[in-house]
Amino acid sequence: MNYCSQCAQPLTVESVAGRERPVCKACGHIVFRNPVPVAVVIATLKEKILLVHRANAPLQGYWAPPAGYIEIDETLEEGAAREVQEETGYQVAIDKLLQVHSRPNTGIIFVIYQGRIIGGQPRRDEIETLDMGLFAPDQLPQQDPPIDSPEIDRWFFEVMADLLAQFEKGLDT
Ligand SMILES: [Zn+2]
């Protein structure tokens, strides 16, 4: 982020209202760095949970619930359902908000929903996922926590491991 997104002039770092921020002296544009929401969906079908084997960072190579960024023209719930459909082909009904997690300097906020698979055809996204599957509580993939990985990986793993542990015990539906 070295050049102004508005006028392409170089940015300088200045104190703005008590906080250091990149500023464009040419046009006055101030760069605000704010975390963005990532929707995560615990989607179930007949007591099984939908997981995807992630092809990309964060948590590349791990099994995790479908997750993704929200687009500007959709609600969180719409974005959550769309991500499930794109990654797995399944249509889901979003039932309720389960949890919200934030951690400084990761750049994101996890917004976790519970949903039900109500249709669609299983068809994985070959770019985002290596594999996908529905897992019963006693068949969840056993995964070791990431070591020497970026903070975002370790945090995502913690959040996910906690969710899967809750699923194993039985989600409060
Ligand atoms: Zn500018």
Side-chain angles (χ1 to χ4, degrees):
M1 217 189 306
N2 298 316
Y3 294 93
C4 180
S5 62
Q6 307 299 304
C7 75
Q9 293 300 302
L11 295 169
T12 56
V13 174
E14 288 188 14
S15 179
V16 179
R19 187 181 276 265
E20 301 281 294
R21 298 187 192 278
V23 171
C24 175
K25 287 201 164 153
C27 76
H29 179 62
I30 301 168
V31 179
F32 293 91
R33 296 176 63 225
N34 307 112
V36 296
V38 168
V40 179
V41 185
I42 304 299
T44 56
L45 179 67
K46 294 175 182 159
E47 324 264 295
K48 292 185 173 180
I49 188 172
L50 177 62
L51 298 178
V52 296
H53 197 187
R54 296 179 58 79
N56 303 304
L59 281 191
Q60 186 174 19
Y62 278 82
W63 286 92
Y69 292 106
I70 306 304
E71 300 292 347
I72 195 74
D73 61 352
E74 60 192 4
T75 63
L76 272 161
E77 292 83 356
E78 287 166 353
R82 176 187 51 73
E83 284 291 345
V84 176
Q85 174 119 44
E86 284 178 5
E87 290 187 13
T88 70
Y90 283 116
Q91 251 185 302
V92 288
I94 300 297
D95 286 331
K96 68 175 180 182
L97 177 65
L98 284 180
Q99 297 171 2
V100 177
H101 295 265
S102 64
R103 183 171 288 194
N105 299 313
T106 56
I108 63 172
I109 296 169
F110 285 120
V111 183
I112 297 157
Y113 288 100
Q114 183 175 331
R116 274 169 298 125
I117 293 172
I118 54 170
Q121 288 292 326
R123 173 190 41 75
R124 77 180 169 90
D125 178 331
E126 296 190 3
I127 294 167
E128 290 200 40
T129 66
L130 302 167
D131 200 357
M132 57 181 271
L134 286 158
F135 296 85
D138 59 357
Q139 295 170 337
L140 291 174
Q142 298 302 307
Q143 309 186 92
D144 294 325
I147 301 167
D148 294 333
S149 297
E151 170 88 12
I152 181 78
D153 282 53
R154 288 179 281 125
W155 179 43
F156 192 0
F157 185 87
E158 277 172 38
V159 168
M160 183 189 69
D162 180 54
L163 283 166
L164 293 182
Q166 284 183 42
F167 172 72
E168 256 180 317
K169 283 188 291 184
L171 283 172
D172 172 33
T173 53

